[in-house]
Amino acid sequence: MAFRTLEITTPAKLDYSLNYLNCRTAENTKRFCLDELETIIISTTSVSITASLIVELIKKKINVVFCDEKHNPQSQVLPLYGSFNCFQSLKNQMNWSNSIKDKVWKEIIKEKIRWQGEILKKYSPGDENYLFQSIDKVLDGDISNCEGHCAKHYFNRLFSNDFSRDDPCDENTFLNYGYSILLSEINRYIVCKGYLTRLGIHHCNQNNEFNLSCDMMEPFRPIIDDYIHQVNCDNFKIKLVSLFQNAVLTINDTRQTMKNAISIYVSSVLQALDNEDLSYLSFFSKYEL
């Protein structure tokens, strides 16, 4: 069972041999069994990788994330065919009605706002009331943009009134990195189920290859927001990567790693959309960092 996250941070050559990834550096060569790898993050541009290794990683549906020269996640390797029943999955996706998409989006946003309220209760007691009161005001498709109004209130109280998500500050560096890793995990599970990440239920940017993933990741963002209070400039990358294996979430009355909880959640959203039935939706009820 795949369980390891491998991060490549130094110049290296990566190649494939007998179900192993060989990581060759100037000092030594290390071997990693592909069956144990769940995610590979290549954090430096000073890495060469063979096509044969890439193909094997894709076959085993191992999540591969490439970072830029500033070590920020920029791209991801995803298979063209994620499951044996891709045709049926894509057919279902193309037939999702606007009505069920709007209803699912409403539930996703309500969960996101609820968790934002829980975060403010922890860091800015009293300011969470506006968010909790806003939950019942969310409409199908969030046509009143309740999410946007709550986000402004939330981030201004979580950090400062002058804070903007566009600011070049440490908080945004941490958030952007964490959100990128979260997005890659969501992408992986959507593709594994045979669906397209491009066709969203709310996000519809023609230049965004991950519209559906951006939709689905919303309830998990507050976990990242909470966790960055435990990191600093020296350790945020390794700690945010390990978060997905170490954080414990309760979902469907079971305790799961964050990775497993994401998988369960993604499956539930897809089932709700395919069957036009919100009862399939499963959200996490609590988490432990």
Side-chain angles (χ1 to χ4, degrees):
M1 178 180 176
F3 62 92
R4 301 181 68 178
T5 296
L6 173 64
E7 184 178 17
I8 309 297
T9 60
T10 57
K13 177 181 178 181
L14 308 181
D15 58 45
Y16 172 77
S17 175
L18 300 174
N19 201 38
Y20 278 83
L21 180 157
N22 298 314
C23 180
R24 306 178 190 277
T25 66
E27 291 77 26
N28 54 41
T29 297
K30 294 183 179 180
R31 305 177 75 222
F32 302 90
C33 180
L34 295 190
D35 293 333
E36 296 179 354
L37 295 177
E38 186 172 48
T39 299
I40 300 173
I41 300 176
I42 300 179
S43 294
T44 172
T45 56
S46 300
V47 166
S48 63
I49 182 169
T50 63
S52 61
L53 175 59
I54 294 175
V55 169
E56 292 301 322
L57 294 174
I58 292 172
K59 286 180 180 179
K60 292 183 176 293
K61 297 182 175 60
I62 296 172
N63 185 26
V64 184
V65 179
F66 290 94
C67 299
D68 61 16
E69 69 281 358
K70 296 181 180 179
H71 313 293
N72 295 314
Q74 288 295 318
S75 64
Q76 181 179 19
V77 175
L78 294 171
L80 286 176
Y81 309 104
S83 70
F84 71 94
N85 61 341
C86 278
F87 175 78
Q88 186 60 53
S89 297
L90 294 178
K91 186 177 179 181
N92 292 342
Q93 188 172 9
M94 296 295 290
N95 289 328
W96 290 343
S97 68
N98 289 331
S99 174
I100 189 59
K101 287 192 288 186
D102 287 346
K103 285 180 170 59
V104 169
W105 181 243
K106 172 185 176 180
E107 297 305 313
I108 287 174
I109 292 307
K110 287 172 64 176
E111 279 298 303
K112 178 184 181 181
I113 294 173
R114 182 173 75 85
W115 278 110
Q116 286 178 329
E118 294 294 338
I119 300 302
L120 279 193
K121 186 191 297 185
K122 180 177 180 180
Y123 294 103
S124 185
D127 287 327
E128 74 277 6
N129 295 329
Y130 173 80
L131 297 180
F132 289 142
Q133 292 167 4
S134 298
I135 293 175
D136 292 334
K137 298 177 182 178
V138 180
L139 304 175
D140 287 359
D142 191 26
I143 57 176
S144 62
N145 192 29
C146 195
E147 177 198 10
H149 297 303
C150 288
K152 179 175 176 57
H153 175 90
Y154 171 69
F155 281 113
N156 285 349
R157 272 67 180 181
L158 187 61
F159 298 116
S160 73
N161 286 330
D162 297 327
F163 177 81
S164 168
R165 281 288 289 121
D166 297 322
D167 291 342
C169 59
D170 289 345
E171 290 83 359
N172 276 326
T173 297
F174 304 157
L175 290 175
N176 291 339
Y177 191 85
Y179 291 161
S180 296
I181 301 301
L182 172 59
L183 181 65
S184 75
E185 291 294 331
I186 300 284
N187 287 338
R188 176 172 180 261
Y189 291 117
I190 290 175
V191 171
C192 284
K193 294 294 182 180
Y195 295 78
L196 288 177
T197 60
R198 295 173 179 82
L199 299 180
I201 60 175
H202 178 77
H203 289 83
C204 56
N205 187 332
Q206 64 180 356
N207 297 317
N208 183 3
E209 296 184 355
F210 309 121
N211 285 310
L212 182 58
S213 311
C214 289
D215 292 329
M216 289 197 187
M217 70 187 287
E218 298 296 348
F220 291 86
R221 285 180 183 265
I223 297 180
I224 306 296
D225 305 339
D226 185 9
Y227 193 63
I228 68 163
H229 289 83
Q230 301 183 25
V231 306
N232 56 52
C233 291
D234 295 326
N235 66 16
F236 75 93
K237 291 175 182 175
I238 189 170
K239 289 181 74 70
L240 283 167
V241 169
S242 64
L243 169 68
F244 293 85
Q245 193 62 54
N246 295 334
V248 177
L249 279 65
T250 300
I251 186 168
N252 291 344
D253 296 322
T254 64
R255 299 174 79 249
Q256 304 283 347
T257 64
M258 189 166 173
K259 281 180 177 287
N260 290 344
I262 290 172
S263 176
I264 294 170
Y265 160 76
V266 168
S267 295
S268 78
V269 173
L270 295 173
Q271 286 181 299
L273 290 163
D274 286 348
N275 294 282
E276 298 202 353
D277 186 350
L278 295 181
S279 68
Y280 283 95
L281 290 176
S282 295
F283 297 103
F284 65 92
S285 57
K286 63 180 179 180
Y287 67 89
E288 305 164 34
L289 299 179

